[in-house]
Amino acid sequence: MTVLPSSPRSPLKLGLLGGTFNPIHNGHLAIAGEVRDRLQLDRVLFIPAGDPPHKEDRSLAPAAARYEMVRLAIADTPSFELSDIEVRRKGKSYSIDTVRTLKQQVGPTTDLYFIIGLDAFLDIHHWRAPLELLQLCRFVVVPRPGHSYRSLAAISLLPPLDHQALAQLDRGAVPRLDISIPSCQTIICLSISLCPVSASEIRQRVRRGQSLANLLPPPVESFILQHQLYQEDTDRTDV
Ligand code: ATP
């Protein structure tokens, strides 16, 4: 990871996008680019999970293959970088371990922005050390088809939320909503265009021999076909 020099008055803004990336797809690239531009991030660091704690592993491609697909996908975007911190680590990939290590590496002159889809954020209270994560990073939540910001009102970790403001965000009537939690960093919920792509759908399409046009970068598609990934019928969504 390259860390840019930053002046004392303007900390570096580093986005983190963790994921299984099984495989990486245009939805990941779209949210990383949109958040980078909207929040003027200097860099976005893609962090493929080694052994993700929240995923069924029956259709999981080897970590080295998922890492390579991310490398191929971001190769032409200088503001996107790749971290092997989780694929190198033995055992489960917990975000808190990653963030603690990164925070130590980058120091106090870099602010961390944890980019996350709404589907994943709605599960945050089940993650390891969620409050510490919210202290160490500014979370940036982006919408995901099939999920609504109104569901945030049910998360006990968050303060009472204004239902009308959440509904406005769902409708795209406001560009963002900031949620303050005592002694944590502000959570930024963005309204951006929905991107209806998922890795599970891509795996299913590969198995069925269907087109992958506009779903993922062409070099990633070639890699999947060349290495015959996702051919087996192992995804739970298929049964
Ligand atoms: P799967 O379909 O296998 O569950 P996925 O498409 O959700 O995979 P992940 O690698 O698990 O991909 O996602 C990493 C992060 O990117 C998560 O925070 C997830 O919410 C977010 N994300 C993935 N796809 C989208 C999308 N189309 N729109 C918004 N966020 C997304």
Side-chain angles (χ1 to χ4, degrees):
M1 176 183 54
T2 314
V3 178
L4 291 175
S6 59
S7 79
R9 278 178 297 131
S10 60
L12 187 77
K13 295 164 95 175
L14 179 65
L16 309 179
L17 180 56
T20 317
F21 300 125
N22 186 39
I24 187 167
H25 54 66
N26 288 347
H28 298 125
L29 298 172
I31 62 172
E34 178 85 19
V35 173
R36 177 200 58 204
D37 296 347
R38 288 270 293 270
L39 302 183
Q40 295 177 310
L41 305 185
D42 297 285
R43 292 265 192 272
V44 177
L45 190 62
F46 287 69
I47 311 171
D51 184 3
H54 306 289
K55 296 271 176 173
E56 292 289 330
D57 62 6
R58 290 181 298 161
S59 63
L60 191 62
R66 290 181 288 109
Y67 179 89
E68 177 61 10
M69 289 189 281
V70 177
R71 195 191 66 73
L72 291 168
I74 67 173
D76 294 334
T77 311
S79 55
F80 289 172
E81 293 188 353
L82 175 57
S83 167
D84 63 0
I85 185 170
E86 292 197 358
V87 296
R88 269 192 293 111
R89 191 191 300 143
K90 291 198 173 22
K92 297 275 181 201
S93 293
Y94 289 104
S95 296
I96 188 63
D97 298 331
T98 304
V99 166
R100 281 181 190 143
T101 305
L102 285 174
K103 192 74 195 166
Q104 274 190 340
Q105 283 176 359
V106 298
T109 55
T110 298
D111 289 340
L112 300 180
Y113 290 72
F114 195 113
I115 303 167
I116 184 166
L118 180 56
D119 58 316
F121 187 73
L122 286 170
D123 195 40
I124 186 91
H125 48 293
H126 291 128
W127 289 24
R128 185 171 280 191
L131 277 176
E132 189 185 341
L133 270 174
L134 292 168
Q135 283 158 5
L136 291 172
C137 313
R138 193 159 299 175
F139 269 65
V140 185
V141 187
V142 295
R144 185 105 200 238
H147 300 270
S148 86
Y149 276 120
R150 272 159 296 172
S151 312
L152 289 178
I155 297 188
S156 55
L157 207 68
L158 303 179
L161 297 170
D162 179 349
H163 288 248
Q164 218 179 339
L166 294 172
Q168 280 182 329
L169 196 59
D170 279 325
R171 286 201 309 276
V174 289
R176 69 188 260 182
L177 177 73
D178 290 5
I179 301 174
S180 305
I181 310 184
S183 70
C184 290
Q185 303 206 41
T186 302
I187 300 168
I188 302 169
C189 298
L190 291 181
S191 163
I192 63 173
S193 310
L194 288 175
C195 188
V197 186
S198 73
S200 357
E201 187 204 341
I202 289 173
R203 295 193 299 273
Q204 198 172 69
R205 293 183 75 87
V206 171
R207 278 195 297 279
R208 292 176 177 169
Q210 294 169 327
S211 164
L212 300 176
N214 303 319
L215 295 177
L216 74 187
V220 177
E221 177 175 353
S222 303
F223 185 93
I224 290 172
L225 299 177
Q226 190 186 344
H227 294 270
Q228 300 184 321
L229 299 179
Y230 312 125
Q231 301 293 337
E232 284 177 37
D233 190 11
T234 48
D235 262 313
R236 182 158 286 185
T237 48
D238 277 0
V239 294

